[in-house]
Each structure stands twice: as structure tokens, then as C-alpha cells.
Amino acid sequence: MVNPASEPAPDDRPTRSVPAADAAAVPSARARPISNAGWAVASLLFFWPLAFSAFHHAFEVYPRWAEGDIDGAEYASRRVRKLGQLSLWIFGGLLLLAIVLYAIAAIVLIAHGGEGGDWHHRMRD
């Protein structure tokens, strides 16, 4: 005879919260990552060479998530954001470089221009 104390009580048995048929229909418990398409547009506006890669990764977020590659979808989403931010940093650096070069050119022109405006006469001699 089986000892009733050795068997688990009906409430202690493990139960499945989601039936097997429904588990296959849900791709993942994690939410779909955002595509960060705004960062792709920012890369297009501020440094267009990075926009090709940014848009490619932005368009890969949903297909990867739908296939069940959650890590790949999150990587693509992070990559779009990183490329957009990189394009802003490059634009800022180029803008700063242009301002510095403009200031140097203005200082050189003012220093060599003289009061009489004979800069052009010296160039012909």
C-alpha cells in the first residue's frame, strides 16, 4: 500500500501557466525592442554615410524579433541608436573644426589686410 504522506498534495504539484499550444504562438516574453528610426533619420541629416548602416539595422529589428532572434533584434536597435549618436558627434566635431578654421582665416586676413586695404596690391607685386 502507498503511504499518502509520501505523495505530494494536489496543490503542491507543478502546474503550467501557459498551455503548450499557446507557448509556441508567443515569440518571447520580452517586449519587442524599438527600431530607433529617429536616430537613423538623424544620421541621414547630420552625417549621411552612416545612414546606410543605420537604416539597414533599423529595418532588421522587427524581422529578427518576429523570427525569435530577440538578442539580434536588441543588437540592431542598439546599433541604430549608436550610429545616430555617432553621426551627431561627427557633425559636432566637423562644425567645431569649421568654426576654428574660419576664425583662423579671419585673424590672418585682419592681420595682413592692414588699415589701407592694400592686401590686394601686395598680392600683385
Side-chain angles (χ1 to χ4, degrees):
M1 185 160 165
V2 177
N3 185 1
S6 66
E7 288 187 27
D11 294 337
D12 294 339
R13 292 185 187 142
T15 59
R16 297 180 80 165
S17 61
V18 177
D22 291 341
V26 177
S28 171
R30 292 189 281 183
R32 183 182 73 177
I34 58 173
S35 66
N36 286 321
W39 282 113
V41 172
S43 67
L44 179 66
L45 294 175
F46 292 106
F47 192 69
W48 66 267
L50 291 179
F52 298 109
S53 181
F55 275 106
H56 171 73
H57 287 294
F59 290 136
E60 285 291 315
V61 172
Y62 179 75
R64 288 184 180 192
W65 180 79
E67 290 174 356
D69 184 13
I70 306 302
D71 293 330
E74 289 175 351
Y75 169 76
S77 176
R78 284 191 311 266
R79 190 74 177 153
V80 173
R81 186 181 72 233
K82 186 177 281 190
L83 288 170
Q85 291 172 349
L86 181 62
S87 69
L88 284 177
W89 280 104
I90 291 173
F91 177 77
L94 291 174
L95 183 64
L96 183 65
L97 180 66
I99 290 170
V100 167
L101 290 177
Y102 180 76
I104 290 172
I107 290 170
V108 167
L109 286 175
I110 291 170
H112 286 91
E115 297 264 337
D118 58 348
W119 168 257
H120 301 290
H121 299 293
R122 287 189 208 161
M123 293 296 289
R124 283 190 245 152
D125 293 338

PDB file of all heavy atoms in Angstrom, residues 11 24 68 79 81 84 90 94-95 101-102:
ATOM      1  N   ASP A  11      -2.347  20.475  -4.452  1.00  0.00           N
ATOM      2  CA  ASP A  11      -1.962  21.873  -4.636  1.00  0.00           C
ATOM      3  C   ASP A  11      -0.459  22.053  -4.801  1.00  0.00           C
ATOM      4  O   ASP A  11      -0.006  23.074  -5.283  1.00  0.00           O
ATOM      5  CB  ASP A  11      -2.432  22.709  -3.441  1.00  0.00           C
ATOM      6  CG  ASP A  11      -3.954  22.761  -3.377  1.00  0.00           C
ATOM      7  OD1 ASP A  11      -4.585  22.551  -4.433  1.00  0.00           O
ATOM      8  OD2 ASP A  11      -4.486  23.015  -2.286  1.00  0.00           O
ATOM      9  N   ALA A  24       3.906  28.318 -28.124  1.00  0.00           N
ATOM     10  CA  ALA A  24       4.545  28.407 -29.434  1.00  0.00           C
ATOM     11  C   ALA A  24       4.083  29.652 -30.186  1.00  0.00           C
ATOM     12  O   ALA A  24       4.805  30.175 -31.029  1.00  0.00           O
ATOM     13  CB  ALA A  24       4.237  27.162 -30.254  1.00  0.00           C
ATOM     14  N   GLY A  68      12.194  35.263 -33.733  1.00  0.00           N
ATOM     15  CA  GLY A  68      12.565  34.747 -32.425  1.00  0.00           C
ATOM     16  C   GLY A  68      13.979  35.098 -32.012  1.00  0.00           C
ATOM     17  O   GLY A  68      14.429  34.709 -30.942  1.00  0.00           O
ATOM     18  N   ARG A  79      22.393  49.304 -32.138  1.00  0.00           N
ATOM     19  CA  ARG A  79      23.322  49.750 -33.186  1.00  0.00           C
ATOM     20  C   ARG A  79      22.776  50.991 -33.903  1.00  0.00           C
ATOM     21  O   ARG A  79      23.539  51.899 -34.228  1.00  0.00           O
ATOM     22  CB  ARG A  79      23.542  48.611 -34.172  1.00  0.00           C
ATOM     23  CG  ARG A  79      24.633  48.864 -35.141  1.00  0.00           C
ATOM     24  CD  ARG A  79      25.968  48.741 -34.483  1.00  0.00           C
ATOM     25  NE  ARG A  79      26.987  48.940 -35.496  1.00  0.00           N
ATOM     26  CZ  ARG A  79      28.179  49.391 -35.238  1.00  0.00           C
ATOM     27  NH1 ARG A  79      28.525  49.638 -34.003  1.00  0.00           N
ATOM     28  NH2 ARG A  79      29.045  49.582 -36.184  1.00  0.00           N
ATOM     29  N   ARG A  81      20.815  53.283 -32.613  1.00  0.00           N
ATOM     30  CA  ARG A  81      20.973  54.411 -31.688  1.00  0.00           C
ATOM     31  C   ARG A  81      22.429  54.858 -31.638  1.00  0.00           C
ATOM     32  O   ARG A  81      22.737  56.052 -31.685  1.00  0.00           O
ATOM     33  CB  ARG A  81      20.483  54.024 -30.295  1.00  0.00           C
ATOM     34  CG  ARG A  81      20.479  55.203 -29.333  1.00  0.00           C
ATOM     35  CD  ARG A  81      20.010  54.824 -27.953  1.00  0.00           C
ATOM     36  NE  ARG A  81      21.041  54.019 -27.314  1.00  0.00           N
ATOM     37  CZ  ARG A  81      20.841  52.828 -26.778  1.00  0.00           C
ATOM     38  NH1 ARG A  81      19.652  52.287 -26.793  1.00  0.00           N
ATOM     39  NH2 ARG A  81      21.822  52.163 -26.225  1.00  0.00           N
ATOM     40  N   GLY A  84      23.353  56.753 -34.867  1.00  0.00           N
ATOM     41  CA  GLY A  84      22.761  58.092 -34.866  1.00  0.00           C
ATOM     42  C   GLY A  84      23.523  59.042 -33.950  1.00  0.00           C
ATOM     43  O   GLY A  84      23.779  60.195 -34.307  1.00  0.00           O
ATOM     44  N   ILE A  90      30.146  63.331 -34.875  1.00  0.00           N
ATOM     45  CA  ILE A  90      30.979  63.674 -36.040  1.00  0.00           C
ATOM     46  C   ILE A  90      30.573  65.035 -36.592  1.00  0.00           C
ATOM     47  O   ILE A  90      31.434  65.875 -36.909  1.00  0.00           O
ATOM     48  CB  ILE A  90      30.876  62.579 -37.119  1.00  0.00           C
ATOM     49  CG1 ILE A  90      31.566  61.307 -36.625  1.00  0.00           C
ATOM     50  CG2 ILE A  90      31.484  63.046 -38.432  1.00  0.00           C
ATOM     51  CD1 ILE A  90      31.378  60.117 -37.538  1.00  0.00           C
ATOM     52  N   LEU A  94      33.012  68.252 -36.844  1.00  0.00           N
ATOM     53  CA  LEU A  94      33.258  68.957 -38.108  1.00  0.00           C
ATOM     54  C   LEU A  94      32.829  70.417 -38.034  1.00  0.00           C
ATOM     55  O   LEU A  94      33.500  71.299 -38.595  1.00  0.00           O
ATOM     56  CB  LEU A  94      32.541  68.244 -39.252  1.00  0.00           C
ATOM     57  CG  LEU A  94      33.095  66.882 -39.645  1.00  0.00           C
ATOM     58  CD1 LEU A  94      32.209  66.226 -40.691  1.00  0.00           C
ATOM     59  CD2 LEU A  94      34.530  66.996 -40.134  1.00  0.00           C
ATOM     60  N   LEU A  95      31.728  70.678 -37.343  1.00  0.00           N
ATOM     61  CA  LEU A  95      31.276  72.056 -37.167  1.00  0.00           C
ATOM     62  C   LEU A  95      32.278  72.856 -36.342  1.00  0.00           C
ATOM     63  O   LEU A  95      32.614  74.000 -36.684  1.00  0.00           O
ATOM     64  CB  LEU A  95      29.895  72.076 -36.516  1.00  0.00           C
ATOM     65  CG  LEU A  95      29.241  73.450 -36.335  1.00  0.00           C
ATOM     66  CD1 LEU A  95      28.970  74.078 -37.696  1.00  0.00           C
ATOM     67  CD2 LEU A  95      27.965  73.311 -35.535  1.00  0.00           C
ATOM     68  N   LEU A 101      38.687  76.919 -38.115  1.00  0.00           N
ATOM     69  CA  LEU A 101      39.367  77.314 -39.357  1.00  0.00           C
ATOM     70  C   LEU A 101      38.871  78.665 -39.862  1.00  0.00           C
ATOM     71  O   LEU A 101      39.666  79.471 -40.383  1.00  0.00           O
ATOM     72  CB  LEU A 101      39.167  76.240 -40.424  1.00  0.00           C
ATOM     73  CG  LEU A 101      39.903  74.918 -40.177  1.00  0.00           C
ATOM     74  CD1 LEU A 101      39.554  73.916 -41.264  1.00  0.00           C
ATOM     75  CD2 LEU A 101      41.397  75.144 -40.097  1.00  0.00           C
ATOM     76  N   TYR A 102      37.595  78.953 -39.710  1.00  0.00           N
ATOM     77  CA  TYR A 102      37.056  80.247 -40.100  1.00  0.00           C
ATOM     78  C   TYR A 102      37.659  81.351 -39.240  1.00  0.00           C
ATOM     79  O   TYR A 102      38.023  82.425 -39.756  1.00  0.00           O
ATOM     80  CB  TYR A 102      35.532  80.236 -39.976  1.00  0.00           C
ATOM     81  CG  TYR A 102      34.893  81.552 -40.367  1.00  0.00           C
ATOM     82  CD1 TYR A 102      34.758  81.915 -41.698  1.00  0.00           C
ATOM     83  CD2 TYR A 102      34.450  82.433 -39.391  1.00  0.00           C
ATOM     84  CE1 TYR A 102      34.184  83.116 -42.050  1.00  0.00           C
ATOM     85  CE2 TYR A 102      33.873  83.646 -39.737  1.00  0.00           C
ATOM     86  CZ  TYR A 102      33.743  83.979 -41.069  1.00  0.00           C
ATOM     87  OH  TYR A 102      33.179  85.173 -41.412  1.00  0.00           O
TER      88      TYR A 102
END
